[in-house]
Amino acid sequence: MTNPIVDVFFGSTLTSSGPTATDISRHVDLMRGIEIDRGAQDELSEIQPSSCRIALDNSDGRFTPGRAASPYYPNVRKGVPIRVSAATFTPRTGSSPYPMDMLGDDFDDDRISSTLWPNSYGGVSEVGGRARIPVVPGVTAGYQSAREWTLVGSKLTARLVTLPAVGGSSSAVCSMWVNSTTSGTRLGWRYNAVTGLVSAESQTGFSDGAAVSFTYSPFSYMWLRVREAGGTVFWESSSDGAAWTTRRSLAAPAWVTSQTHAVEIAATRTGGVADYCEWDYVGATVHPRFFGTVQSWPTTWKGLSSTATITCTDLLTWSSIVKELQPMLVQEVLLDRPTVFFPLTEPSDSTSAGNIAGTAGVGSLSIVQAGSGGTLEFAGGVGPNGQPCPVFTPASSSAGKYLSADLGPNVTDANASFRLRVECWFSTSTKDRVLLAMTSSDAETKMVMSLNSASGGLQVQVQSPGSALVATLWGTPDLADGQLHHLVYNEFTGEVAVDGVTYSASNFSPNDQRLLYVGGFQNTRLWNGLISYVALYVRSVTTADLTPHYTTGTTGHAGESASARMSRLASYVGLAVTTQGSAFDAVASQADLGRSALEHMRDIARTESGKLLTNRSSGIPLIFQSRDLRYNPVAALTLDYADLETTDFEYAYDDQKVVNAVTASRPGGATQRVISQASIDAYGEKPQDLALLKNTDNSAADAANWLISRYADPPPEARQVPVEAYSMPIATYRALLNADVSTVLGLTALPSQAPGSTATAVIEGYTERIGLRQHHLDFHTSRADTDTVWVLDDSTYSVLDSTTRLAY
């Protein structure tokens, strides 16, 4: 039967570290099935958020939100992470000795298999779809196979579901072993409840002096396996059963390659209170199908029968990815977790500026009037990346306006342990003026940053209670030159970085700071110019961590690769990106941002003719595919039409995808038009505008030509390939489960009415239904040779006027 695995991470969020999964697979109503929708309808459409719908048996009320009797109370909540996988098992074929991968048991029939585990002992049982092993004082219990398996070129996999408690014992362990013919000579995994360690062991005489141990985590060590390949044994763990981390490797002991083995899953306890451990999915190969969050937990009744049909969506709908981003420089500063951050980008009618770092108790920067006259105009100047900033225009050095704020006790408390790191942007043509200052509440301790009256270099004056004011001058250039400058001052290391260049000097580091002054201090030396993006870091952060903000503020990272930009944008919402393919062009600045992270990331994907999608597992959540991933595609699996066992296979030929007139534009560059006159003459003009974040006009023109060359006259194609995957041989079934967006399918023995007997199609998305003894996949596909590119002197990809399309 089909083996879906549905894990819900109750009590966790997407940002939780090492969440604990609860397997609710036994409660899935497979008669109603699991429905998943992923990807796009075609290659010209944007990939939409994946959705998943699961019907759950709620007869005991465990999935009713707010029900105190639920074993998951109070964590049946919207937004909880969920993962859906499919487990497959390799059927046992041939004769003994069998590869260990063929030892597969999902324990779902609640009966111990006498075929797989004929030598089980100690009162073991199957309960709730799991192998339950008693952990009883003075008793050893375990599941044990016949001696008919071999580890060479194979593996033993299992999921450790329930751990034994310490229970007052001096020893309580559970383990998974590959046993040799010699008692006590074995290898595998061992969990020790007393120490909380899980160890990878190769024992002789029941001992391994070189065992490698790790602090157990139910996330990192949820799945365990031992594997042999090329004469080496690997001990591996996984959080999802699909992506594995090697924890130990060792040259295979001689008995591994020369003997037939028995498998044993065992437990024992010395003293204390009896309980049990549980294992599941022995021998499973796991295929991730969906990862996201539960959006709703509706409870419905038919009479007294209750069902919860939950709806889930992937990370493309997560709240952080759809929130509006602030300008790139703001996002970069926030990534470095400032304690206080005043961007000073308020509109012109403002009279104060706010802190956006989130530290409690920090007051706003309010205007202070020194003497009479002078102005402080918010949004009156232009700061980094063209962002608005205030202009300080005093009537004299002691008459005008500046800003001050009480930063509150949390900043002062942090300053007791960490020295200040100060960052800001400024511009002035006037020396001997105060950029900013900080003091304690009683002003007995102070730090004043200014431009030296003679050199215009950065000067810092500090004073501690009962001491004189001490000035330190750094060897910076004259900064009163009317140009915009970026400054980082690190009290801890005595460093100053100006416009990315670091200078060092010794300096006293005061603490107990609480009051902040910007553009003046004690009504004197009033700043004449611009100041913006004032940030204070009262924590451990290096100068080198902060100096990249200079590049952000001056170039907006124009010219970085599309893959680097995608990772940068994802980092603003706490996500990471893995790339597939290698063709990533340089892209233009997105310094202003202002829309959702998802929209900006899609701009990059569109610019690159790439694909942005989510991971189906819970690893790195986002995937960015480059266009060259599809160049000259080769089928990852081939299906015979007769094996599809469905009735909805579709071949299409229409003008739905025709594009024959492209107008391409880029920021600060030319607007260019590329056409196919032959296509226009045949079908009429089918225009498309391309607003691309390209870095050069040539790159924008290349993108336009690439689109025209592929879609001026699209040939017939297979657009829908439905497959009843469960009926396929195990190798084909697994290949279908591994298939995803951009996987290439080969189709053979097509009906005689088709344009040809074979076709090659690229998967753009799919709908999926996992039911009882059914796994239906309906692939949305496009013609694969749309992405063929010229390979010089190649018999297939160098056919004049046919496959001589230049790669973009």
Side-chain angles (χ1 to χ4, degrees):
M1 63 181 293
T2 46
N3 287 274
I5 304 174
V6 180
D7 288 318
V8 179
F9 297 86
F10 289 113
S12 300
T13 68
L14 287 173
T15 58
S16 297
S17 176
T20 300
T22 299
D23 184 353
I24 64 168
S25 307
R26 293 272 288 190
H27 303 284
V28 174
D29 183 353
L30 287 180
M31 295 300 293
R32 298 176 62 181
I34 299 172
E35 297 174 353
I36 297 172
D37 194 345
R38 178 172 173 82
Q41 287 293 318
D42 58 60
E43 74 274 33
L44 295 178
S45 302
E46 284 185 335
I47 289 177
Q48 299 303 309
S50 299
S51 63
C52 179
R53 189 170 182 268
I54 307 174
L56 300 171
D57 177 3
N58 192 40
S59 57
D60 61 358
R62 66 178 55 229
F63 300 117
T64 302
R67 185 173 183 271
S70 166
Y72 314 130
Y73 179 84
N75 296 315
V76 181
R77 303 170 60 91
K78 59 183 177 294
V80 65
I82 186 171
R83 180 176 62 213
V84 180
S85 306
T88 60
F89 297 87
T90 304
R92 181 161 61 172
T93 58
S95 58
S96 176
Y98 304 103
M100 202 163 287
D101 183 50
M102 291 183 179
L103 175 56
D105 198 343
D106 61 9
F107 306 104
D108 279 348
D109 60 2
D110 291 336
R111 295 182 304 172
I112 298 175
S113 170
S114 59
T115 302
L116 294 176
W117 311 105
N119 301 321
S120 298
Y121 57 95
V124 299
S125 59
E126 284 189 19
V127 180
R130 297 169 177 174
R132 179 171 292 184
I133 303 174
V135 189
V136 178
V139 176
T140 300
Y143 277 70
Q144 190 177 79
S145 75
R147 188 170 297 283
E148 57 184 359
W149 307 97
T150 178
L151 187 60
V152 175
S154 193
K155 59 186 180 294
L156 172 64
T157 305
R159 176 167 168 167
L160 180 53
V161 181
T162 304
L163 300 174
V166 177
S169 300
S170 59
S171 174
V173 299
C174 63
S175 49
M176 177 176 75
W177 300 110
V178 176
N179 290 334
S180 78
T181 57
T182 302
S183 179
T185 298
R186 55 188 183 174
L187 59 82
W189 285 97
R190 182 175 182 268
Y191 170 72
N192 186 327
V194 175
T195 63
L197 298 177
V198 60
S199 54
E201 301 191 17
S202 178
Q203 293 187 349
T204 300
F206 297 102
S207 177
D208 179 6
V212 181
S213 298
F214 311 89
T215 300
Y216 179 78
S217 155
F219 180 75
S220 299
Y221 297 94
M222 183 185 304
W223 291 82
L224 300 170
R225 80 178 182 189
V226 287
R227 177 174 63 91
E228 194 280 339
T232 301
V233 176
F234 299 90
W235 286 258
E236 297 165 318
S237 71
S238 174
S239 61
D240 60 8
W244 295 88
T245 300
T246 298
R247 303 296 182 176
R248 182 187 184 187
S249 61
L250 186 72
W255 64 266
V256 170
T257 57
S258 63
Q259 297 179 7
T260 300
H261 320 309
V263 171
E264 184 176 22
I265 305 174
T268 186
R269 176 187 296 280
T270 301
V273 179
D275 60 1
Y276 58 84
C277 67
E278 292 178 318
W279 297 77
D280 205 350
Y281 304 111
V282 169
T285 297
V286 179
H287 310 265
R289 309 308 301 154
F290 176 85
F291 179 75
T293 59
V294 180
Q295 299 302 299
S296 63
W297 294 90
T299 304
T300 58
W301 285 266
K302 286 186 178 180
L304 297 179
S305 175
S306 177
T307 301
T309 303
I310 61 174
T311 301
C312 319
T313 57
D314 71 7
L315 299 195
L316 292 186
T317 60
W318 188 36
S319 59
S320 291
I321 204 171
V322 297
K323 75 177 183 181
E324 183 178 292
L325 292 181
Q326 299 190 63
M328 185 175 282
L329 182 55
V330 174
Q331 297 293 161
E332 291 287 327
V333 172
L334 290 175
L335 272 185
D336 286 311
R337 297 185 294 115
T339 311
V340 177
F341 183 25
F342 295 100
L344 292 167
T345 54
E346 280 78 6
S348 59
D349 59 351
S350 300
T351 57
S352 60
N355 163 55
I356 66 170
T359 301
V362 175
S364 59
L365 279 170
S366 301
I367 294 176
V368 177
Q369 177 71 56
S372 61
T375 61
L376 196 167
E377 182 184 0
F378 281 96
V382 178
N385 291 147
Q387 295 298 313
C389 69
V391 178
F392 298 74
T393 309
S396 67
S397 64
S398 58
K401 298 178 179 180
Y402 60 106
L403 298 168
S404 72
D406 183 341
L407 302 183
N410 290 322
V411 173
T412 301
D413 291 346
N415 193 210
S417 301
F418 298 99
R419 303 284 67 78
L420 289 173
R421 283 78 163 168
V422 181
E423 179 181 14
C424 67
W425 292 75
F426 65 88
S427 172
T428 186
S429 298
T430 308
K431 300 177 182 179
D432 197 26
R433 299 297 175 93
V434 171
L435 181 56
L436 60 85
M438 288 196 70
T439 74
S440 57
S441 297
D442 57 9
E444 290 295 310
T445 301
K446 58 178 67 78
M447 182 275 292
V448 182
M449 301 176 65
S450 62
L451 299 188
N452 183 263
S453 59
S455 68
L458 181 73
Q459 175 178 279
V460 178
Q461 297 168 292
V462 295
Q463 185 175 21
S464 59
S467 301
L469 197 65
V470 178
T472 301
L473 177 64
W474 273 263
T476 68
D478 182 357
L479 302 178
D481 57 0
Q483 301 300 308
L484 190 64
H485 294 288
H486 175 242
L487 172 67
V488 174
Y489 168 52
N490 188 332
E491 276 189 347
F492 181 70
T493 59
E495 292 176 322
V496 163
V498 176
D499 300 340
V501 179
T502 301
Y503 306 84
S504 297
S506 60
N507 190 46
F508 175 72
S509 300
N511 58 11
D512 199 32
Q513 308 286 56
R514 175 160 176 164
L515 305 179
L516 171 67
Y517 302 90
V518 176
F521 181 60
Q522 295 181 337
N523 295 341
T524 62
R525 293 192 289 167
L526 303 183
W527 188 261
N528 186 8
L530 314 177
I531 303 176
S532 64
Y533 287 91
V534 175
L536 305 177
Y537 304 82
V538 195
R539 67 177 192 84
S540 180
V541 61
T542 69
T543 305
D545 290 332
L546 305 180
T547 51
H549 297 171
Y550 173 66
T551 300
T552 307
T554 53
T555 71
H557 297 284
E560 71 179 345
S561 71
S563 58
R565 178 64 56 78
M566 191 69 81
S567 294
R568 185 181 301 280
L569 294 170
S571 71
Y572 298 159
V573 291
L575 299 177
V577 179
T578 186
T579 58
Q580 296 175 351
S582 58
F584 297 106
D585 288 355
V587 293
S589 170
Q590 292 175 290
D592 291 339
L593 295 178
R595 295 177 293 139
S596 74
L598 179 58
E599 288 178 282
H600 289 298
M601 287 191 280
R602 281 178 165 166
D603 285 344
I604 296 298
R606 192 181 307 114
T607 294
E608 289 296 284
S609 294
K611 303 291 180 183
L612 176 67
L613 60 155
T614 57
N615 197 331
R616 292 182 293 190
S617 185
S618 53
I620 296 177
L622 299 179
I623 299 170
F624 182 29
Q625 297 179 342
S626 70
R627 58 185 177 274
D628 73 311
L629 189 68
R630 299 184 174 209
Y631 287 173
N632 300 340
V634 176
L637 70 156
T638 300
L639 302 173
D640 189 294
Y641 174 76
D643 291 334
L644 300 183
E645 295 190 8
T646 57
T647 59
D648 299 318
F649 180 79
E650 177 187 320
Y651 230 93
Y653 180 58
D654 51 37
D655 65 355
Q656 176 180 314
K657 297 182 180 180
V658 174
V659 177
N660 52 31
V662 176
T663 301
S665 60
R666 71 177 187 89
T671 298
Q672 306 171 77
R673 186 168 182 260
V674 178
I675 66 171
S676 168
Q677 191 60 52
S679 176
I680 292 173
D681 292 343
Y683 309 116
E685 185 168 319
K686 305 288 186 180
Q688 182 168 325
D689 290 334
L690 286 181
L692 304 172
L693 292 168
K694 292 295 186 183
N695 217 36
T696 67
D697 291 338
N698 284 342
S699 293
D702 287 343
N705 278 297
W706 177 247
L707 190 61
I708 289 289
S709 70
R710 297 159 75 217
Y711 298 108
D713 190 7
E717 64 181 356
R719 289 192 187 157
Q720 210 72 21
V721 181
V723 185
E724 183 44 64
Y726 181 69
S727 64
M728 297 289 187
I730 188 64
T732 305
Y733 185 22
R734 285 173 172 169
L736 286 166
L737 293 178
N738 291 334
D740 200 359
V741 174
S742 297
T743 297
V744 181
L745 298 176
L747 303 171
T748 61
L750 295 176
S752 60
Q753 301 90 344
S757 61
T758 64
T760 308
V762 178
I763 296 172
E764 306 298 343
Y766 58 82
T767 57
E768 171 179 20
R769 186 181 187 278
I770 307 173
L772 188 65
R773 296 183 180 86
Q774 180 192 56
H775 197 151
H776 186 80
L777 288 161
D778 193 353
F779 293 111
H780 314 311
T781 59
S782 62
R783 190 180 179 97
D785 60 10
T786 300
D787 293 292
T788 57
V789 298
W790 191 1
V791 178
L792 190 62
D793 294 330
D794 186 275
S795 60
T796 301
Y797 300 114
S798 189
V799 180
L800 190 62
D801 292 329
S802 176
T803 60
T804 52
R805 180 192 294 125
L806 293 176
Y808 151 63

